Amino acid sequence: MIGRENVAQEKAFPVSWDQFHRDCRALTWRLNEVGPFYAIIAITRGGLVPAAIVARELGIRVIDTVCIASYDHTRQGDLKALKGVSAEVAKLGGGSGKGLLIVDDLVDTGKTGRLVRSMMPDAHFAAVYAKPQGKPLVDTFITEVSQDTWIHFPWDTALSFQPPIRP
Ligand SMILES: O=P(O)(O)OC[C@H]1O[C@H](OP(=O)(O)OP(=O)(O)O)[C@H](O)[C@@H]1O
Ligand SMILES: Nc1nc2[nH]cnc2c(=O)[nH]1
Ligand SMILES: [Mg+2]
């Protein structure tokens, strides 16, 4: 079990729906230069949201999932691959993943990315956000945040009252 408490001075990086949508569009502009892709593989669950946006922008209708569980809120446990890519989509990628696009919301330590890459070594791996440890695993990303930053996604958060800076 890797505890996030090992990471000193955690900073918060809240992302709104609007910002996330814009960052996904920016990611797609970059991916459009690299494709075309036969299919998108979303790493669940966080990758489902950017995968839908990227698929819409690139006109891709074949979408599969690789289901990985590792974090229990902010603590990372052992990685569990709950579901791999379907035989049909694996065939499109010729067994090595060539021409397939893997999408996730972020790479942090890179453990999830490494596992998925081992399943499809020639696939293109894109994430919206990247931390330094995970960055070498992704082919395309949009925004880098420091390793001691926790990204708060809009599907995990809600608007709430903030006390004023000067009480
Ligand atoms: O680079 P790593 O340190 O492996 O972390 C990155 C992974 O962690 C989060 O998923 P999580 O396991 O929390 O599951 P979820 O997508 O279902 O929320 C995130 O969506 C990435 O998939
Ligand atoms: N929401 C969220 N999940 C993560 N999983 C690994 N790192 C992060 C992060 O910074 N934010
Ligand atoms: Mg995830």
Side-chain angles (χ1 to χ4, degrees):
M1 198 56 138
I2 301 165
R4 292 286 310 183
E5 50 274 34
N6 294 342
V7 180
Q9 286 184 336
E10 203 141 274
K11 300 173 196 123
F13 182 83
V15 181
S16 66
W17 281 112
D18 200 42
Q19 183 65 49
F20 191 75
H21 196 177
R22 262 178 299 176
D23 288 339
C24 289
R25 280 230 171 95
L27 181 71
T28 316
W29 278 107
R30 290 199 184 157
L31 294 171
N32 195 34
E33 308 279 303
V34 185
F37 300 105
Y38 306 122
I40 289 183
I41 294 138
I43 305 180
T44 69
R45 295 159 303 177
L48 288 165
V49 188
I53 297 166
V54 170
R56 187 265 177 188
E57 297 298 339
L58 293 180
I60 297 172
R61 292 188 181 265
V62 181
I63 301 161
D64 200 352
T65 53
V66 168
C67 304
I68 311 274
S70 70
Y71 283 82
D72 174 12
H73 188 39
T74 58
R75 287 177 70 83
Q76 188 173 35
D78 296 332
L79 251 59
K80 290 183 206 85
L82 306 172
K83 176 199 162 287
V85 76
S86 71
E88 263 174 313
V89 170
K91 205 169 150 192
L92 285 177
S96 69
K98 195 161 173 55
L100 303 181
L101 174 63
I102 302 168
V103 175
D104 208 350
D105 52 359
L106 70 99
V107 280
D108 185 324
T109 62
K111 277 179 79 174
T112 306
R114 200 167 290 121
L115 178 63
V116 178
R117 268 209 172 285
S118 71
M119 299 170 179
M120 289 164 278
D122 294 334
H124 189 94
F125 184 20
V128 188
Y129 305 113
K131 300 189 191 180
Q133 274 179 35
K135 208 169 78 164
L137 285 150
V138 279
D139 297 301
T140 308
F141 70 95
I142 286 298
T143 302
E144 181 170 354
V145 301
S146 63
Q147 202 65 44
D148 61 350
T149 293
W150 190 259
I151 302 168
H152 294 275
F153 288 110
W155 52 89
D156 285 330
T157 53
L159 286 179
S160 67
F161 173 78
Q162 296 294 306
I165 292 169
R166 186 167 173 163

